[in-house]
C-alpha cells in the first residue's frame, strides 16, 4: 500500500456529528444550547508511515489490542522562541484531548480520548480509549 489518503472534510465533519450523539457528549445541549467544546471539531489523523500501517494501527485500536499512541516530543532546539512558547505547548497531548482516528484510506473510524499522558525521555505515550467507532 502507498501513501495515506487525506480524509475529505465532509466525511470528517459527518463522523464528528454522529460521534457527538453516539458518545453522548451532548446530553444537556437540548436544554442549554451548544457548548463551545462541541462546536470545535477535534483534530483528525492517521497513525503510520504508509496506508497499510495506518490501517493496521486503526484495526488494532478498534479491536482493543492497542491502547497507546507513541510520539516524539517536538525539539525546542530546532524552533524559534515564538514557536517554542506557542506550538510546543499546543503539541503536547493532554488528558481529555479528543481526536478522530482515520485509516489509511482517509476514512474516519474512531473518536478517541486521551486518558493518561506519560513523558519518557524524548517521547510521549498517550493512553487512549475509543469513545465511538
Amino acid at each position: 500500500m502507498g501513501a495515506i489518503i487525506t480524509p475529505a472534510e465532509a466525511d470528517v465533519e459527518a463522523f464528528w456529528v454522529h460521534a457527538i450523539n453516539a458518545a453522548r457528549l451532548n446530553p444537556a445541549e437540548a436544554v442549554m444550547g451548544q457548548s463551545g467544546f462541541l462546536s470545535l471539531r477535534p483534530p483528525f489523523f492517521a497513525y503510520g508511515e504508509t496506508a497499510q500501517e495506518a490501517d493496521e494501527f486503526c484495526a488494532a485500536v478498534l479491536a482493543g489490542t492497542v491502547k497507546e499512541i507513541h510520539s516524539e516530543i517536538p525539539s525546542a532546539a530546532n524552533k524559534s522562541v515564538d514557536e517554542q512558547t506557542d506550538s510546543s505547548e499546543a503539541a503536547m497531548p493532554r488528558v481529555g484531548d479528543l481526536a478522530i482516528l482515520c485509516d489509511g484510506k482517509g476514512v474516519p473510524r474512531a473518536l478517541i480520548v486521551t486518558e493518561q499522558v506519560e513523558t519518557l525521555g524524548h517521547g510521549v505515550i498517550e493512553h487512549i480509549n475509543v469513545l465511538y467507532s
Side-chain angles (χ1 to χ4, degrees):
M1 266 187 162
I4 296 170
I5 297 171
T6 302
E9 281 289 326
D11 292 343
V12 176
E13 192 62 35
F15 181 88
W16 173 234
V17 169
H18 288 290
I20 289 170
N21 294 317
R24 300 184 191 270
L25 298 175
N26 63 342
E29 189 173 278
V31 177
M32 299 173 57
Q34 188 174 22
S35 71
F37 165 74
L38 294 177
S39 64
L40 298 174
R41 186 188 72 213
F44 58 91
F45 71 100
Y47 187 82
E49 295 293 320
T50 65
Q52 181 176 352
E53 286 179 6
D55 285 346
E56 291 170 358
F57 181 80
C58 193
V61 168
L62 292 172
T65 57
V66 169
K67 294 191 170 277
E68 297 177 347
I69 297 175
H70 300 255
S71 57
E72 291 186 22
I73 296 174
S75 172
N78 297 327
K79 297 183 179 183
S80 69
V81 173
D82 290 337
E83 290 175 321
Q84 288 177 28
T85 56
D86 293 338
S87 64
S88 295
E89 193 67 32
M92 291 298 293
R94 294 179 302 240
V95 171
D97 282 353
L98 296 175
I100 297 172
L101 178 64
C102 300
D103 64 19
K105 295 173 224 48
V107 177
R109 300 291 306 275
L111 176 65
I112 59 174
V113 62
T114 300
E115 295 190 327
Q116 181 183 354
V117 178
E118 292 180 60
T119 305
L120 305 171
H122 296 292
V124 174
I125 299 173
E126 289 178 70
H127 298 270
I128 60 168
N129 189 32
V130 175
L131 295 178
Y132 170 74
S133 62

